[in-house]
Amino acid sequence: MSIINELKWRGAINQQTDESGLGDLVNEKAVGLYAGIDPTGDSMHIGHLIPFMILKRFQLAGHRPYIVIGGATGSIGDPSGKKAERVLQTMDQVRHNQDCLTRQMENLFGQDGSFKIVNNYDWLSKVSLLDFLRDYGKLFNVNNMLNKEVVASRLEVGISYTEFTYQILQSIDFLHLYQAEDVQLQIGGADQWGNITAGIDLIHKQEGAEAKAYGLTIPLLLKADGTKFGKSEGGNIWLDPEKTSPYEFYQFWINTDDRDVIKFLKYFTFLSQDEIKTLEDAVATHPEKRLAQTRLAEEVTEFVHGKDAVAEAQHITKALFSGDVADLTASEIEQGFKKMPSVTVNTDKKNIVEWLVDDTKIESSRRQAREDLTNGAIRINGEKVTATDVDIDPTSAFDGKFVIVRRGKKRYFLVRVAG
C-alpha cells in the first residue's frame, strides 16, 4: 500500500493540492517533505503531535522529513486559529522554546540521520526589508491574501501588518526548502491550507509553473462528543513529562471513549490494518475489557516516552486499582497521586488518631477516626490499620517523602512529609 493510500485509510487527509501528482511522486522517489512548528511554548501537546505523526509515517516509508522550528515566524506569531493578536515573545524566550522543541523532535524521530531539523531564523533573518518587499512582497496580491480564511476571519476585529505578512514568511520557508533541500511537500493542519497554497504559488512564480510542489492538510480531529481533540478537564496533555507525567499521559489514552478509540488507533499508532481490525472487533464484542484502549495507551506512551514509562504507568495503574501501593517508588507516587487530595506534615511521630484529625485533616473528628480505624476503613501505605493506640512515623516509607492514606475503597490522600 502506498503511503498516500495508507493515510486515506487512516482518515488522515483533509485536502491535497494535486492528488494524482503527489501520488505519482511518492511512488517514484524518496520525497523531501516538511511540517513546521513555531516555538510559542516550551513543549508540544498532543494536538501538535498530529501532523508530526504523518511526518513520522513518511519517514518510516523511506522518505526525507524536515522539521522547521520557526525561530523567525515564532517571533512574529501565526494568526491561524487566533481571534486576536498574539503577545510577542522575547527572543530569549523564543530561543529557549526552540531548544526544548528540538529535544522533543529528536526523541520522536530518532538520531539516525533519516530526518533533519532546521530553523527558519537561519534564512529569514538574512532577508532585509528592501529584499522582502522587492523579491517577495511584489509577488503577493493583497486581494488574494485578504481572501485567505486565516486573514478573512480576522478582518472584523483587525489584524496587524505583522501577522498579515505571516503567510509570506511561511511561503519563503517552502521556497527555501524547495531550492536548498529538494523539499516538495508541505504538511499541516486544516487551518494551514491558505499558507501552504501561498507557498506553492510562490514556488511556481520563482521556479516555473511546472515545478513539482505539493501540499497536504490533516482534518481537524474531533471527539465523538463534538469537542476538539487534545485536552482533558485539566487542560492540555503535554509531551513534556514535567508538565504531564507519563502516568497521566497513559491515563489520558486509556480513558478514550469506545466511539473514538479506533479512530485514535489509526491516527496515533503504527499498528497494521489487521491489528486495528482485531481491536475493532474486540471493542464491538467485549468493550468492558478495554483492549483497544490499553493498546492505544501502550503504543502512544512508548512512542513519546519510551518502554520504561509504559511499564511505570502500568505499575502505578495496577497499584491504585488493587490498593497494593507499598511497592511503588517515590517517583511513581509523585506521578500517580499528583491530582489527588494532598497535605503536608512534619516528620514527628504521633498517635494515629491525632495525626488523622489534627495533622492531615483526613478525618473530621477523633470519634470518626476511631470508628473508621476499628471498622478497617483506613489503610496506611497499603496496610490496613485497625488499632487506635499506635503511633505513625511519616518517614517510615517511600524515602521518607510520602504517606499514602486510603479511606474506604477508593478515597486516596497523599501526605507529603516536609524536610
Side-chain angles (χ1 to χ4, degrees):
M1 182 187 296
S2 74
I3 180 67
I4 299 298
N5 287 336
E6 181 186 355
L7 293 179
K8 287 180 180 178
W9 174 78
R10 292 182 181 274
I13 296 179
N14 182 47
Q15 291 176 287
Q16 298 180 67
T17 54
D18 179 357
E19 183 174 346
S20 61
L22 179 58
D24 291 341
L25 184 70
V26 297
N27 290 329
E28 291 170 2
K29 59 182 284 191
V31 176
L33 69 153
Y34 89 96
I37 183 168
D38 282 343
T40 52
D42 59 5
S43 174
M44 291 191 290
H45 56 69
I46 55 175
H48 293 131
L49 195 57
I50 298 172
F52 294 103
M53 293 297 299
I54 305 301
L55 215 62
K56 182 71 177 182
R57 294 187 199 286
F58 273 94
Q59 180 190 32
L60 295 174
H63 298 282
R64 299 181 294 107
Y66 287 74
I67 296 161
V68 175
I69 304 289
T73 46
S75 66
I76 298 300
D78 182 358
S80 301
K82 296 295 178 182
K83 296 179 180 179
E85 290 284 316
R86 290 178 183 266
V87 177
L88 295 182
Q89 300 184 104
T90 68
M91 289 309 295
D92 284 343
Q93 287 176 312
V94 171
R95 282 188 286 269
H96 168 74
N97 294 343
Q98 286 172 194
D99 293 341
C100 294
L101 294 179
T102 297
R103 288 193 293 271
Q104 288 186 344
M105 292 299 181
E106 290 172 344
N107 183 51
L108 296 177
F109 286 84
Q111 301 190 31
D112 60 1
S114 63
F115 82 105
K116 189 173 181 179
I117 297 175
V118 293
N119 188 331
N120 64 15
Y121 185 85
D122 293 341
W123 56 86
L124 290 176
S125 63
K126 295 180 174 63
V127 179
S128 72
L129 176 59
L130 289 178
D131 289 340
F132 175 78
L133 295 173
R134 288 176 58 89
D135 297 341
Y136 303 109
K138 196 72 174 174
L139 301 177
F140 284 80
N141 184 288
V142 170
N143 290 340
N144 291 338
M145 294 175 70
L146 288 172
N147 286 329
K148 300 288 186 182
E149 182 180 355
V150 64
V151 174
S153 64
R154 286 276 298 279
L155 291 180
E156 285 191 15
V157 296
I159 183 171
S160 70
Y161 180 73
T162 298
E163 290 195 4
F164 179 66
T165 61
Y166 185 95
Q167 61 182 282
I168 300 180
L169 298 181
Q170 187 169 323
S171 298
I172 297 172
D173 288 347
F174 200 173
L175 175 64
H176 171 83
L177 293 171
Y178 179 90
Q179 293 174 331
E181 304 285 355
D182 191 29
V183 169
Q184 294 176 269
L185 171 63
Q186 182 180 172
I187 290 175
D191 61 349
Q192 292 297 311
W193 180 252
N195 291 335
I196 291 172
T197 55
I200 294 172
D201 289 343
L202 178 61
I203 290 172
H204 287 159
K205 288 174 181 176
Q206 292 279 47
E207 299 294 317
E210 300 305 313
K212 293 183 177 181
Y214 305 90
L216 184 155
T217 62
I218 300 146
L220 177 65
L221 186 57
L222 297 176
K223 295 187 289 186
D225 61 8
T227 60
K228 187 176 179 180
F229 166 81
K231 292 188 177 183
S232 69
E233 291 181 2
N236 286 322
I237 305 298
W238 301 98
L239 271 58
D240 183 344
E242 297 299 318
K243 294 177 179 288
T244 300
S245 72
Y247 167 75
E248 292 173 297
F249 190 85
Y250 181 89
Q251 286 296 312
F252 171 83
W253 296 102
I254 210 164
N255 287 319
T256 298
D257 191 304
D258 287 346
R259 297 171 295 172
D260 291 321
V261 66
I262 300 304
K263 176 166 59 177
F264 291 178
L265 281 166
K266 289 180 178 180
Y267 258 78
F268 294 104
T269 77
F270 302 99
L271 299 179
S272 68
Q273 288 193 32
D274 288 343
E275 290 175 296
I276 292 176
K277 180 62 171 64
T278 299
L279 292 167
E280 187 173 14
D281 292 341
V283 173
T285 56
H286 296 288
E288 74 283 356
K289 293 184 178 181
R290 302 187 71 76
L291 296 177
Q293 284 88 345
T294 300
R295 191 65 188 278
L296 174 66
E298 290 171 347
E299 292 291 319
V300 187
T301 304
E302 180 176 339
F303 177 57
V304 173
H305 294 298
K307 287 185 178 180
D308 289 346
V310 175
E312 189 173 56
Q314 290 176 331
H315 186 212
I316 298 170
T317 301
K318 182 179 179 181
L320 291 179
F321 181 78
S322 66
D324 185 14
V325 299
D327 291 335
L328 292 176
T329 66
S331 173
E332 289 171 337
I333 290 170
E334 192 73 67
Q335 290 188 55
F337 289 81
K338 184 177 180 180
K339 293 185 178 180
M340 293 184 184
S342 66
V343 64
T344 301
V345 301
N346 59 38
T347 59
D348 296 342
K349 292 182 181 180
K350 200 166 188 178
N351 172 264
I352 190 168
V353 173
E354 296 176 7
W355 187 80
L356 287 170
V357 177
D358 299 335
D359 292 47
T360 67
K361 305 293 190 296
I362 291 171
E363 295 285 10
S364 59
S365 68
R366 284 170 169 73
R367 181 194 61 78
Q368 187 64 56
R370 284 191 288 266
E371 182 177 319
D372 285 346
L373 284 163
T374 56
N375 288 338
I378 298 294
R379 288 180 178 268
I380 304 293
N381 298 334
E383 296 293 328
K384 184 185 293 185
V385 180
T386 57
T388 61
D389 58 351
V390 297
D391 288 341
I392 186 166
D393 178 3
T395 65
S396 63
F398 308 126
D399 301 332
K401 296 179 179 179
F402 305 108
V403 180
I404 298 174
V405 180
R406 193 178 88 183
R407 190 177 73 190
K409 292 184 177 181
K410 295 183 178 180
R411 290 205 66 190
Y412 280 99
F413 300 86
L414 176 64
V415 180
R416 299 177 182 273
V417 183

